[in-house]
């Protein structure tokens, strides 16, 4: 078993309550930071840790904190991105539901480091039951002097609020989230200025993911150097993985970064292999927005080097033969999966969730959905396959926010790695449209 930073006590009875969480060592980082450290010292420990944003981008958290502008007379804000709208990702929900005080402790310690006196948790609107769990835990923190005025007699005060969104994928993007939090339509902002300079209400703001913020207390308690010893190279610490799809043991797993991919997929400690004894066909390693990989390229790089669960290893080969760790939304697919149908389903989602602000995304996601619909329903042509690639190239890199890229990458990678399957749909429309039809290289079989 590897080191557990976030989930060590997650199954302790009553860990969702302040009393039990405190008995298990909770809120020690608040005491240590407020009583023995300056805000800059907390920031320095996070920088030393090498902690990278766990929401998908993987940007160094401490570096992001250090960019925060500190103008006189302006408040600063910390906003937790708990929207978690990436298909295939559900680890933040589990963390908030099972051990909400871990996030609250992280919010207090991180807010102190950033000089924020008011902070927000922006949670997905569909997760109202989790919002109520958080509000109850926040009330307990207030009642026990961990929130409010003069926390632990330190002179530092903090108010923490939970705000539900409207269920828009686009609000997972930090500037769209801030627009929504201000009561506006959730459209991404042009950058610069970045939120660190002009964020919530025009004030310096840091937006971090749930898992990132919940990792800060361990770093403060144990030092950034100790955190950096966990993991491999620039991929330090642990990572929560939402494992789903055709697995014997789906669920949320906390792994040490650097764990061999094959061990994560097949060992009984983690996913337990592909269900029903079927063959492993493909995987989406970091949520639906990252490139899909065939099994052989996921287990090993194009050069034959076994992959490990790190940001660097999974991206080895670029988008030609690699993918991204992303948010850790791990979706495994067995040999009964139709890649064309799966890609069409992803495209329907991104077309629906596009905010419509940028023409390449607004129009392009709709075109991709229509073309994939034709291919899946027996009306496609060989030209349509190349058209998908062309559309994806015209979307990628041409939008204000990364939603355009998120829509383009899965389509482009699906065609790149599974072109024969797309061509089979064109050549065999009657066979391909039968319920449960599945392609393999030797023949088309029915699942």
């Amino acid at each position: 078993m590897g080191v557990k930073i976030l989930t060590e006590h997650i199954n302790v009875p009553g860990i969702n309550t302040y009393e039990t969480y405190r008995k298990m060592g909770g809120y020690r980082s608040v005491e240590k930071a407020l009583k023995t450290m300056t805000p800059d010292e907390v920031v320095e420990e996070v920088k030393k840790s090498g902690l990278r944003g766990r929401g998908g981008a993987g940007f160094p958290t401490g570096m992001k904190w250090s960019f925060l502008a500190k103008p006189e007379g302006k408040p600063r804000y910390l906003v937790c991105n708990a929207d978690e709208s990436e298909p295939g990702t559900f680890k933040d929900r589990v963390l908030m539901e099972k051990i909400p005080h871990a996030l609250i402790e992280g919010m207090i310690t991180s807010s102190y480091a950033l000089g924020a006196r008011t902070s927000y948790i922006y949670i997905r609107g569909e997760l109202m039951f989790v919002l109520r769990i958080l509000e109850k835990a926040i009330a307990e923190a207030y009642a026990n002097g961990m929130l409010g005025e003069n926390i632990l007699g330190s002179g530092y005060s903090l108010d923490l609020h939970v705000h539900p969104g409207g269920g828009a994928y686009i609000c997972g993007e930090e500037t769209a989230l801030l627009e929504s939090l201000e009561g506006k339509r959730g459209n991404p902002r042009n950058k610069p200025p970045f939120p660190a300079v002009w964020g919530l209400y025009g004030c310096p703001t840091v937006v971090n993911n749930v898992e990132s913020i919940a990792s800060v207390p361990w770093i403060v308690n144990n030092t950034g150097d100790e955190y950096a010893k966990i993991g491999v190279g620039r991929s330090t610490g642990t990572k929560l993985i939402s494992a789903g799809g055709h697995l014997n043991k789906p669920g949320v797993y906390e792994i040490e970064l650097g764990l061999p991919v094959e061990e994560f997929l097949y060992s009984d400690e983690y996913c337990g292999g592909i269900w029903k004894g079927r063959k492993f066909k493909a995987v989406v390693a970091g949520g639906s927005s990252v490139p899909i990989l065939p099994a052989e390229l996921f287990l090993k790089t194009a050069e034959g080097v076994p992959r490990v669960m790190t940001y660097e290893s999974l991206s080895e080969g670029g988008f030609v033969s690699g993918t991204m760790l992303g948010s850790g939304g791990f979706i495994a697919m067995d040999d009964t999966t139709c890649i064309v149908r799966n890609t069409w389903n992803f495209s329907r989602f991104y077309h629906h969730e596009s905010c419509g602000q940028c023409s390449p995304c607004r129009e392009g996601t709709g075109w991709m959905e229509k073309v994939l619909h034709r291919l899946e329903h027996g009306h496609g042509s060989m030209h349509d396959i190349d058209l998908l690639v062309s559309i994806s190239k015209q979307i990628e890199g041409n939008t204000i926010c990364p939603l355009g890229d998120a829509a383009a990458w899965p389509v482009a990678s699906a065609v790149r790695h599974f072109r024969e399957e797309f061509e089979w749909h064109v050549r065999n429309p009657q066979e391909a449209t039968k319920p449960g039809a599945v392609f393999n290289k030797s023949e088309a079989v029915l699942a």
Side-chain angles (χ1 to χ4, degrees):
M1 295 290 287
V3 174
K4 296 292 184 285
I5 288 174
L6 297 170
T7 62
E8 181 182 5
H9 304 301
I10 201 165
N11 292 317
V12 172
I15 196 65
N16 61 319
T17 66
Y18 177 88
E19 183 180 2
T20 303
Y21 182 74
R22 194 80 164 106
K23 286 179 180 177
M24 301 304 297
Y27 290 102
R28 283 193 297 120
S29 73
V30 176
E31 292 182 293
K32 182 178 179 180
L34 270 59
K35 292 182 177 180
T36 68
M37 302 173 73
T38 66
D40 287 342
E41 286 173 339
V42 178
V43 174
E44 189 59 32
E45 289 300 324
V46 175
K47 290 174 74 172
K48 286 180 184 177
S49 73
L51 174 67
R52 295 167 69 169
R54 301 304 196 218
F59 191 82
T61 303
M63 187 180 296
K64 188 174 187 178
W65 286 11
S66 67
F67 293 156
L68 188 68
K70 298 181 179 179
E72 290 296 327
K74 266 196 171 186
R76 293 182 287 279
Y77 296 103
L78 171 64
V79 178
C80 174
N81 183 350
D83 190 67
E84 192 169 44
S85 47
E86 180 73 9
T89 310
F90 47 90
K91 41 91 177 179
D92 289 343
R93 178 192 68 80
V94 170
L95 201 62
M96 292 185 288
E97 179 184 354
K98 301 290 186 181
I99 187 165
H101 285 281
L103 174 58
I104 296 166
E105 180 180 2
M107 289 294 292
I108 299 166
T109 306
S110 302
S111 296
Y112 171 73
L114 297 167
R117 299 298 180 112
T118 303
S119 295
Y120 297 89
I121 299 172
Y122 182 97
I123 190 168
R124 190 156 184 76
E126 289 91 339
L127 297 179
M128 291 305 293
F129 76 101
V130 179
L131 179 143
R132 295 185 185 100
I133 290 171
L134 284 173
E135 287 185 331
K136 182 179 178 181
I138 288 171
E140 290 180 319
Y142 269 107
N144 287 277
M146 291 296 173
L147 285 169
E149 296 294 321
N150 193 23
I151 299 172
L152 300 177
S154 64
Y156 174 69
S157 303
L158 175 68
D159 284 314
L160 180 59
H161 307 279
V162 186
H163 181 90
Y169 176 80
I170 192 67
C171 290
E173 194 277 334
E174 61 179 8
T175 61
L177 184 157
L178 295 176
E179 289 286 293
S180 175
L181 191 53
E182 291 178 359
K184 305 171 188 172
R185 179 184 172 90
N187 280 359
R189 300 173 180 173
N190 277 305
K191 293 177 284 190
F194 292 91
V197 176
W198 186 273
L200 185 64
Y201 308 125
C203 298
T205 304
V206 166
V207 181
N208 279 136
N209 169 262
V210 171
E211 185 183 348
S212 309
I213 292 172
S215 299
V216 171
W218 194 96
I219 293 168
V220 170
N221 289 331
N222 298 276
T223 75
D225 289 332
E226 287 300 309
Y227 188 89
K229 291 177 183 178
I230 306 166
V232 177
R234 291 175 52 240
S235 293
T236 63
T238 66
K239 177 80 184 77
L240 294 179
I241 304 293
S242 311
H246 299 148
L247 297 169
N248 284 318
K249 295 174 60 182
V252 174
Y253 295 99
E254 184 173 10
I255 65 167
E256 288 188 36
L257 287 169
L259 178 75
V261 159
E262 191 166 359
E263 182 180 345
F264 176 69
L265 182 61
Y266 289 108
S267 74
D268 289 336
E269 183 179 341
Y270 298 106
C271 298
I274 304 301
W275 71 340
K276 301 180 181 179
R278 290 175 176 166
K279 185 180 178 182
F280 178 34
K281 180 176 181 177
V283 70
V284 173
S288 68
S289 62
V290 309
I292 187 174
L293 279 185
E296 61 273 14
L297 281 179
F298 176 66
L299 295 170
K300 293 183 179 180
T301 66
E303 287 72 37
V305 178
R307 291 194 196 266
V308 295
M309 298 289 281
T310 64
Y311 294 93
E312 293 75 27
S313 179
L314 291 182
S315 64
E316 181 67 32
F319 284 179
V320 174
S321 60
T323 184
M324 299 167 66
L325 181 60
S327 61
F330 185 91
I331 308 171
M333 305 176 199
D334 67 18
D335 57 0
T336 67
T337 302
C338 174
I339 299 299
V340 177
R341 188 179 307 123
N342 181 78
T343 308
W344 172 54
N345 198 38
F346 282 171
S347 286
R348 289 168 61 202
F349 172 81
Y350 288 110
H351 180 212
H352 180 270
E353 293 297 331
S354 173
C355 75
Q357 187 175 196
C358 306
S359 298
C361 181
R362 181 184 66 245
E363 304 298 330
T365 54
W367 295 346
M368 287 196 299
E369 182 193 343
K370 289 176 183 177
V371 174
L372 283 161
H373 181 276
R374 288 204 297 265
L375 288 164
E376 170 59 19
H377 291 83
H379 309 297
S381 67
M382 291 298 177
H383 171 71
D384 283 336
I385 302 173
D386 293 325
L387 182 59
L388 283 174
V389 177
S390 175
I391 296 170
S392 69
K393 287 180 179 178
Q394 292 177 63
I395 297 173
E396 182 182 355
N398 293 315
T399 55
I400 290 173
C401 87
L403 190 145
D405 296 344
W409 291 340
V411 174
S413 60
V415 174
R416 181 184 305 118
H417 297 301
F418 299 95
R419 189 179 186 98
E420 287 178 304
E421 187 162 343
F422 283 83
E423 292 177 350
W424 178 76
H425 273 252
V426 174
R427 292 194 182 102
N428 303 276
Q430 291 184 333
E431 191 72 17
T433 52
K434 289 180 180 178
V438 178
F439 165 85
N440 64 39
K441 292 188 178 181
S442 59
E443 60 178 342
V445 298
L446 292 183

